[in-house]
Amino acid sequence: MTFEPEQLGQSSQELAAMLRDLRKRAGLSGVRLAARCNMSQSKVSRIENGKVRPSLVDVEQILRALDAPSSIVAEVSALARMANTEWRNLRELRRKGLGTRQAELRALETSSSHMRYFLLSMVTGLLATPEYVRASLAHSPADTSKAVAGKLERQAILYDASKRFTFILTEQAIRWPVVSPFALAEQMDRLASLTYLPNVRIGVIPLGVHASRNPLNTFTIYDASLVTIETSAGSLVLRDSRDVQSYLDEFATYEEAAVFDEEAREKLAEWSTACRS
């Protein structure tokens, strides 16, 4: 089954209708299907009405319970994968307004307890100084004033003690010259100061440190439910539990390679001094 990136995330209602139709063709009630799948009847109902996005594991359980033929399994599984994956191209984000994107991120942060950020090439807005935020958006042809304000307002969530944050930054991300050397030194000083927040862990991977994986993209994990992957053309959103777990595993390898606390502050101070000199 082939599809365009823009189709991702748009098949939820089609998936719900197909699962409902398969159950009826099998002559099963929602209660009997739920019992076979070890699910609640209310969850089966919400899935079939499109009110809950089923994971791939949920869909596999339902298809097995319905004894669906292999051709149907392949088609429904492809729909489930599409429903749990979403592509947001940069052109569309700019059309809607970059400020709208900040509102979406704020909602994700508000609804999550533990957020993990792997930062390959730049400092994320939650950790950035105002000058760094403005410079990071300077290339955009759209009006960025609302996006800048949104990024800076979102930083307040770092001080919410009910939230946990783990940031892993490569040396390249920290030292990439987004701003002038002096402003970059200030950015490094801010990172060092944030390491003292009790609910914030900031790890640094210096150049030359071996990691068992080779990173390709910046990504963020929200609890164990959703991953966003940043590319130069847009962002990919993954919701399937197995996809999320693969990124949790990858993040753990970078966490093992990183230095934290006083060792991280020493590195940041060294690089900050180099910028000022």
Side-chain angles (χ1 to χ4, degrees):
M1 185 175 188
T2 59
F3 50 85
E4 296 299 321
E6 288 74 13
Q7 292 176 270
L8 294 170
Q10 297 179 1
S11 56
S12 296
Q13 292 301 320
E14 186 178 353
L15 174 63
M18 185 171 283
L19 290 173
R20 184 172 61 249
D21 184 55
L22 285 172
R23 175 183 61 76
K24 290 180 177 179
R25 276 197 251 167
L28 289 179
S29 67
V31 172
R32 287 184 63 193
L33 176 60
R36 287 190 181 187
C37 297
N38 196 27
M39 290 182 190
S40 68
Q41 189 275 328
S42 61
K43 180 175 180 178
V44 170
S45 177
R46 291 196 299 273
I47 288 173
E48 291 187 354
N49 289 315
K51 294 180 179 178
V52 166
R53 189 194 313 262
S55 69
L56 292 183
V57 173
D58 291 334
V59 171
E60 287 172 359
Q61 286 181 314
I62 291 171
L63 292 173
R64 280 197 300 269
L66 295 173
D67 197 23
S70 58
S71 58
I72 294 295
V73 169
E75 184 178 356
V76 176
S77 295
L79 275 176
R81 169 67 68 179
M82 289 172 61
N84 281 279
T85 308
E86 183 178 348
W87 169 252
R88 296 183 175 184
N89 68 62
L90 192 58
R91 298 185 305 278
E92 182 68 12
L93 291 174
R94 285 172 175 165
R95 187 187 66 78
K96 290 181 177 179
L98 297 176
T100 301
R101 175 62 174 159
Q102 296 308 306
E104 293 174 352
L105 290 172
R106 187 183 299 111
L108 273 175
E109 292 155 1
T110 300
S111 63
S112 303
S113 298
H114 188 184
M115 286 146 274
R116 299 169 175 88
Y117 302 77
F118 177 69
L119 304 168
L120 177 62
S121 56
M122 287 180 65
V123 176
T124 186
L126 283 181
L127 303 176
T129 63
E131 187 168 352
Y132 192 102
V133 169
R134 286 191 290 270
S136 70
L137 295 171
H139 66 282
S140 174
D143 178 15
T144 61
S145 56
K146 289 184 179 179
V148 170
K151 282 178 178 283
L152 297 176
E153 288 169 4
R154 282 173 47 224
Q155 293 178 358
I157 202 165
L158 293 175
Y159 302 92
D160 182 344
S162 69
K163 308 287 186 183
R164 291 172 57 208
F165 300 87
T166 306
F167 299 90
I168 306 294
L169 299 92
T170 65
E171 180 177 342
Q172 174 181 313
I174 295 169
R175 302 187 73 171
W176 191 259
V178 176
V179 290
S180 69
F182 188 80
L184 194 58
E186 290 185 328
Q187 175 60 67
M188 294 172 186
D189 294 343
R190 172 168 168 77
L191 290 175
S193 69
L194 290 172
T195 64
Y196 290 101
L197 290 177
N199 60 322
V200 175
R201 292 183 77 228
I202 297 179
V204 173
I205 304 179
L207 287 174
V209 171
H210 174 73
S212 59
R213 298 201 189 197
N214 297 316
L216 297 176
N217 295 97
T218 286
F219 61 87
T220 305
I221 308 170
Y222 297 89
D223 293 327
S225 59
L226 184 149
V227 178
T228 62
I229 305 156
E230 303 299 324
T231 76
S232 57
S235 62
L236 194 64
V237 181
L238 305 179
R239 294 183 177 86
D240 184 73
S241 58
R242 288 173 291 189
D243 292 332
V244 175
Q245 186 59 52
S246 72
Y247 274 91
L248 284 168
D249 294 342
E250 183 173 347
F251 189 86
T253 66
Y254 302 142
E255 201 167 2
E256 289 175 3
V259 297
F260 292 87
D261 302 321
E262 189 56 39
E263 201 171 348
R265 289 190 285 270
E266 287 174 2
K267 284 293 183 185
L268 290 166
E270 174 190 332
W271 299 333
S272 175
T273 299
C275 284
R276 288 188 165 93
S277 64

